[in-house]
Amino acid sequence: MARYNKAGLAQDEKNGDPVQKSMSSNDVKKRDEWWKLSARHQQQWFKKLRKEQGTRFIATEKGFPTPDNLLAPLGLVYAIVIRDPVARFVSYYFWRWRDKSFFANLRALATSYISSTFRPAVARLQSNAPAFADFVDSEMPLDGYYIRRLLGIEDPTFSVDIHHLNQAKATLENVFSLILITENLAEFGPLLSSSLGWQHTSFSKFYQKANPPPDIDRLIAWRLDWRDEIRRLMPLDSRFYSFAKDLATIRLQTTTALNS
């Protein structure tokens, strides 16, 4: 969508995230870890990208500046996409252990041509994929994913509490001009137009990613109430998600009212 709206991506980028130039096409593209820079150096980095490459839009899922390093409100629009934490964790399991073999890709391609009247395929995992119960144990603690991201805490084992939750809420409310919720992306076209000036904002035209659904049998094998149990293990992230949804809805309603 950003490309279609000519948002101004970096010349060397991966999914919208600037990467360092490589000497060979076979080299692994390393991201510029701009979020680790001080505010002053970030400003210099952004200015150089804009001048040399016309960059006006950066997307990243790998990091976010610590609160002390934020550049807002220096003419930047910070945006974030937030997903239900339970759905995000389940999706991560099936993505992390997905079958990446040639035949798996061939099956996925064939499945895309099968009529929707047939039973949909489910995500296929590697033969050595752990049971979901073991995966849950290996990822403990489950709580605090979004909170750590917004506060610049890189250690996934760092224990967060209500104080960190409130800090993350404040960062979300005071820094981000654009908050999108994965579960109802289609509603946020007006916000994209008002915040970014984009003309083409229909997610249905651009959302072509069609991963097969999770294999629910693997989740039920862990426990019948798998969804409730995962949410129980994520009390702070669940509260953060509810706060984000409410805030996003209020802003969307405000924008809709102003444009009506």
Side-chain angles (χ1 to χ4, degrees), residues 217-233:
D217 290 343
R218 284 182 173 269
L219 307 178
I220 293 177
W222 175 46
R223 49 189 301 156
L224 292 175
D225 62 341
W226 59 268
R227 191 186 307 274
D228 292 337
E229 178 62 11
I230 296 174
R231 197 172 301 282
R232 187 187 69 79
L233 295 170

Side-chain angles (χ1 to χ4, degrees), residues 55-224:
T55 303
R56 293 180 290 107
F57 183 87
I58 292 173
T60 183
E61 59 180 354
K62 295 300 180 182
F64 188 74
T66 58
D68 293 338
N69 288 1
L70 287 171
L71 285 174
L74 299 180
L76 298 179
V77 174
Y78 282 103
I80 189 171
V81 180
I82 298 175
R83 187 178 187 181
D84 179 284
V86 174
R88 186 204 65 78
F89 181 74
V90 170
S91 178
Y92 173 59
Y93 168 67
F94 285 98
W95 177 87
R96 169 67 178 79
W97 291 99
R98 69 194 184 282
D99 186 349
K100 293 177 283 188
S101 67
F102 169 80
F103 291 105
N105 293 331
L106 191 62
R107 282 194 300 266
L109 181 63
T111 299
S112 66
Y113 290 99
I114 296 177
S115 170
S116 59
T117 57
F118 290 88
R119 184 178 185 272
V122 295
R124 294 178 179 271
L125 302 186
Q126 301 172 31
S127 59
N128 62 335
F132 189 67
D134 295 330
F135 181 74
V136 170
D137 290 340
S138 70
E139 293 292 315
M140 290 291 191
L142 302 192
D143 206 14
Y145 173 85
Y146 284 116
I147 296 171
R148 284 190 291 268
R149 283 295 180 93
L150 288 187
L151 299 184
I153 300 172
E154 296 187 6
D155 182 0
T157 65
F158 183 90
S159 180
V160 296
D161 55 27
I162 190 66
H163 172 69
H164 299 105
L165 170 62
N166 291 333
Q167 283 185 315
K169 285 182 177 180
T171 299
L172 184 70
E173 185 169 14
N174 298 328
V175 173
F176 287 90
S177 304
L178 185 58
I179 303 170
L180 306 179
I181 304 299
T182 300
E183 283 67 35
N184 51 333
L185 280 178
E187 300 176 8
F188 290 96
L191 280 179
L192 286 174
S193 295
S194 62
S195 298
L196 303 178
W198 290 1
Q199 295 181 347
H200 308 283
T201 59
S202 174
F203 279 97
S204 60
K205 293 182 179 179
F206 300 96
Y207 194 73
Q208 299 177 349
K209 185 178 180 181
N211 290 333
D215 185 349
I216 300 299
D217 290 343
R218 284 182 173 269
L219 307 178
I220 293 177
W222 175 46
R223 49 189 301 156
L224 292 175

